[in-house]
Amino acid sequence: MTPIRRQYLEIKKRYPHALVFFRLGDFYETFDDDARVVSRELEIALTSKPMGKNLRVPLAGFPYHSLDTHLSRLLGRGYKVAVCEQTEDPKAAKGLVAREVVRLVTPGTVSDGPLLAAAANNYLVALASGQGSGWGLAYADVTTGEYAACELEESELVAELARLRPAEVLIAEGVARPAESLLYTPLPVQEFDGELAARAITEHFGILSLAGFGCADLPLAATAAGVLLTYIRENQKGALGLVQPLHVYSLDSSLALDSSALRNLDVLNRHDGGPTLVSVLDRTRTKMGGRTLRAWLTRPLLDVAAIERRLDRVQALHDDAALRSALQDHLRRLPDIERAAIRCTAGSAGPRELGALRDGLPLLPAIHRLLAPDVSLVELASELQTHDELAAVLAAGLADEVPPALEQGNVIRAGFSADLDNLREVARDARRLLGELETEAKGESGIRSLKLGYNRVFGYYLEVSTANAALVPESWQRRQTLTGGERYITPALKELEERILSAGERIEALERDLFRGLQATVAAHAPALLATARTLAELDVHAALAEVALERNYCRPLVDDSRGLEIHEGRHPVVEAALDERFVGNDLALDCDEQQIMVLTGPNMAGKSTYLRQAALIVIMAQAGSFVPATSARIGVVDRVHARVGTQDDLAAGQSTFMVEMVETAAILNQATARSLLVFDEIGRGTSTYDGISVARAVVEHLHGHAGRPRTLFATHYHELTELAGALPRVRNYHVAVSEDGDDVVFLHRILPGRADRSYGIHVARLAGLPDSLLRRARDILAELEDGRRRNGQNGHAAQLPLLAEPPALLAELAATDIDQLSPLEALLRLNQLRERARAAVED
């Protein structure tokens, strides 16, 4: 076994669950099973290499400068990577070059800018399970320092995971995973010991107990938080220094959006990649602001005073276009201060990041001056530090144009370090001396075509063509023979080369040290920079929401502690943004005393689902601190928005459409409170008519009898449910207006009091392009079914509909046939006659 093979195996033994990227010169190499994985996932060649007697191992490698690209692909597919670097200069090494893993990159601990979504958080989550249904959840973002924990019930866990959308979830081995779609990292059970976890937190923050963080009586939250901290320390130690003090939160402190609401309302993303609430509202100018907007929309506020403060700030920037424009112009030129501060603390920030800080920090005094005169913004102005001292240090230390990588040189400004200036002068003088030496060599030899050159293998040389080789002085030493000439060195050239290389190495080392000093200076200011970043992010969101409100004619909502919900001419923010035509606004009024439940009927595609969704989205926007798409709105604070709108099979979990629908409905009914807003669309449509109507009616009756009387929107095609308005005092019927002219039907998209008389499903089928003959037959069947229902006197109760509507005469004849008196041949003939008459009836 070769020494390198032995060195690699020792390192791989310490990181068995990670792909080891082993640095060899200008390449990262992988071996054995790692090489097979890398070859398959990155689509690069799998080769082999001898690494001992009778030992040939699989090999897959790539140039070092491709690291970020390959890391991004592997992390996106859930792999962890141990980056093993050469930790000494190969020229100075005696024997085998020392190597060690300098960072372990996992999806939840990655901090490199190119590997991250700039406008989204990259959360690492730890879950600690307890007895029964309780869980502890902790999350952190090592790129921003955010660190929080809570305790919650299993019924709430999936919703919180859907809100956080973590890149990686830590969980004890053997514990059932609550959401299979996430990337899990199983850890030994002993790491979830409560005492060990608590000690990790207290030792890191230098405190005596967890009481100061408010989790002394929350053992599961503390356990998850401690496991998370330990994992960061082991895998991204450089990021540990700026993990913020633990914030313990409760789900009761914000409007709760369960996973189905986030999905059904298209708050963050859509399965088809279409527009979402975030994409419509995101006019932020900074990456920090983009992340904050997402946080606000997934955790809207409950506190009326806090909501009003946000709305006041949006109002100020809405009303003062000049102020908003100037502020956004400054914000647009700011870097991602949060992530730059964290990367400086970890020692991984590059020259361009420090250069962006250098250019951005001088904008802060101007932003402060813009805010100070406005009474609604003065509080934020007081929180905004200008960091003049740090800005001055970076301006003095960094060159005007900094390269992407430190190795490219010329990062430090001339005049910042006398020693560096002297070394650079030596290097410049050496280049002048090289030119003089070339001239002298031409004069000494008489070879006018002689050229002075350099390469990394042979250093500096004098190149002479074969035709002039006889003119070369004897004192010159041959260094290399070429096809068309020779390369030589002279004692003077060798001496000058040593001076140049020595100066270059010293320049590189000193510039690296000076740059690290600038990084350390930024790191020392990091806590203050993070506070500034949070203030700027809030400002950015306020300005973005003001811009959208002005452009789309949104109004300022009135948010109070009442139980009412009144919206005048409300519009769906996402649908409206996508339409080329004017969106038809609609009113909505709900309360717990008079109009608790709205039963909404009307055609498919007429706007029922849009109406339901827009009500929920308007509430979310208002409590997040945004203006809303309406002419006026009064929002009595909502604590939970539940939306069962549309569904599909979950075949992987063995659940049909109807089962998914019932599971979501059960979750809503079990979690609804007096302040909840419930949105139901087509309950009971995945089963038989009798079953569906029975379930749907029972749901409405249950909600009407609920002690808290939650505000409810209930859209349905079961027209029988409209009779509930006469039986239950807080149920009201509404319908979507339709205009008919012969066979032409126009959906007016207006919501009006009263119930619809039909669903216009055949009209929708025509719009979908079904054949005319099929549509004519469908109309005939519908007429026969409706006539049969009227004759049978169903009194509003649904009948289980037969599969086929048979012609009455044919049915009578079939019923009168005495099959006991027919021979087999007569029976076949009789059956053939009946079939032919049935075919003729269908064709007619």
Side-chain angles (χ1 to χ4, degrees), residues 109 160 213 235 335 369 420 541 564 574 599 634 669 725 793 813:
T109 61
E160 186 66 355
F213 288 151
N235 296 288
R369 289 192 295 271
L420 181 61
V541 176
V574 182
V599 173
R634 178 172 174 263
L669 298 180
E813 187 173 344

Side-chain angles (χ1 to χ4, degrees), residues 27 141 151 200 211 265 370 386 388 429 494 520 544 548 553 625 728 761:
F27 280 78
D141 184 342
E151 287 192 357
L265 299 176
L370 282 172
T386 56
D388 299 328
D429 188 55
K494 185 65 176 176
V548 175
N553 195 29
L728 302 176

Side-chain angles (χ1 to χ4, degrees), residues 7-23 28-29 34 67 71 80-88 97-106 109 233-238:
Q7 183 186 50
Y8 166 77
L9 290 177
E10 290 174 354
I11 291 171
K12 179 64 179 176
K13 186 177 180 180
R14 297 197 295 271
Y15 299 92
H17 302 300
L19 302 173
V20 174
F21 285 4
F22 192 77
R23 184 70 176 264
Y28 286 105
E29 301 288 1
D34 286 4
L67 177 63
L71 274 179
K80 300 164 189 172
V81 178
V83 181
C84 180
E85 297 284 5
Q86 297 171 172
T87 54
E88 65 176 331
V97 176
R99 292 178 176 86
E100 64 180 64
V101 171
V102 297
R103 57 178 173 145
L104 179 63
V105 187
T106 75
T109 61
R233 182 176 64 244
E234 293 175 351
N235 296 288
Q236 186 65 280
K237 189 173 183 179

Side-chain angles (χ1 to χ4, degrees), residues 505-829:
E505 291 173 356
R506 291 164 63 193
I507 288 172
E508 183 179 337
L510 182 54
E511 193 160 29
R512 183 169 57 250
D513 289 344
L514 292 169
F515 183 76
R516 287 174 177 167
L518 291 175
Q519 274 190 334
T521 301
V522 174
H525 288 77
L529 285 172
L530 290 178
T532 295
R534 286 190 290 271
T535 301
L536 291 168
E538 289 186 28
L539 272 170
D540 196 9
V541 176
H542 294 319
L545 295 177
E547 179 182 357
V548 175
L550 192 66
E551 178 182 305
R552 299 199 173 280
N553 195 29
Y554 292 177
C555 74
R556 175 173 178 162
L558 171 63
V559 181
D560 58 29
D561 284 319
S562 72
R563 297 273 304 281
L565 179 59
E566 300 174 17
I567 299 171
H568 183 60
E569 293 292 314
R571 314 185 303 276
H572 192 297
V574 182
V575 175
E576 180 183 42
L579 285 179
D580 293 329
E581 58 197 74
R582 186 180 71 85
F583 189 97
V584 177
N586 278 293
D587 297 345
L588 170 66
L590 290 174
D591 60 64
C592 64
D593 297 320
E594 300 292 333
Q595 189 159 296
Q596 175 203 346
I597 301 173
M598 174 190 289
V599 173
L600 180 62
T601 51
N604 286 306
M605 294 182 61
K608 295 195 307 296
S609 294
T610 298
Y611 180 75
L612 267 58
R613 286 178 167 95
Q614 77 188 35
L617 289 175
I618 286 172
V619 168
I620 291 169
M621 291 172 63
Q623 292 186 213
S626 171
F627 284 24
V628 298
T631 56
S632 68
R634 178 172 174 263
I635 313 294
V637 167
V638 172
D639 66 350
R640 294 170 179 268
V641 169
H642 294 290
R644 212 233 63 78
V645 182
T647 191
Q648 57 187 357
D649 291 341
D650 188 354
L651 299 179
Q655 294 184 345
S656 67
T657 299
F658 185 65
M659 175 58 79
V660 173
E661 177 185 309
M662 291 298 99
V663 168
E664 291 185 357
T665 300
I668 294 173
L669 298 180
N670 290 328
Q671 297 175 44
T673 74
R675 285 199 170 275
S676 297
L677 174 63
L678 312 183
V679 174
F680 293 94
D681 190 15
E682 302 302 343
I683 292 293
R685 298 296 290 181
T687 185
S688 68
T689 305
Y690 280 154
D691 284 349
I693 290 180
S694 300
V695 170
R697 175 167 181 155
V699 168
V700 176
E701 291 176 349
H702 175 85
L703 291 171
H704 189 271
H706 191 288
R709 301 181 181 181
R711 290 159 284 183
T712 303
L713 295 168
F714 197 99
T716 183
H717 276 294
Y718 292 133
H719 294 177
E720 293 82 355
L721 296 184
T722 59
E723 295 182 1
L724 290 171
L728 302 176
R730 295 188 304 280
V731 173
R732 297 289 185 274
N733 286 328
Y734 283 81
H735 71 282
V736 185
V738 174
S739 173
E740 293 186 71
D741 183 8
D743 289 337
D744 292 329
V745 177
V746 177
F747 298 149
L748 302 179
H749 306 295
R750 279 285 184 191
I751 308 299
L752 301 175
R755 64 185 186 180
D757 57 353
R758 47 192 293 210
S759 292
Y760 299 91
I762 295 176
H763 172 71
V764 174
R766 181 172 68 82
L767 295 178
L770 268 64
D772 289 342
S773 59
L774 185 154
L775 295 172
R776 287 195 298 273
R777 178 59 183 150
R779 292 190 189 97
D780 293 341
I781 294 172
L782 177 63
E784 291 166 2
L785 291 173
E786 290 178 340
D787 181 63
R789 175 174 294 186
R790 284 191 295 270
R791 289 201 312 270
N792 292 333
Q794 294 294 325
N795 297 321
H797 297 288
Q800 186 70 33
L801 301 179
L803 179 63
L804 294 174
E806 298 288 354
L810 191 59
L811 286 175
E813 187 173 344
L814 179 60
T817 301
D818 187 355
I819 60 174
D820 294 331
Q821 300 301 318
L822 297 176
S823 68
L825 179 59
E826 290 173 329
L828 287 174
L829 292 172

Side-chain angles (χ1 to χ4, degrees), residues 823-844:
S823 68
L825 179 59
E826 290 173 329
L828 287 174
L829 292 172
R830 185 65 170 158
L831 179 61
N832 184 62
Q833 292 172 355
L834 292 172
R835 184 185 66 174
E836 293 304 318
R837 291 178 61 186
R839 283 179 174 174
V842 170
E843 290 174 357
D844 290 341

Side-chain angles (χ1 to χ4, degrees), residues 59-79:
L59 175 75
F62 52 86
Y64 75 95
H65 54 74
S66 304
L67 177 63
D68 283 349
T69 300
H70 295 321
L71 274 179
S72 181
R73 290 181 65 182
L74 291 170
L75 291 172
R77 295 173 187 179
Y79 292 98

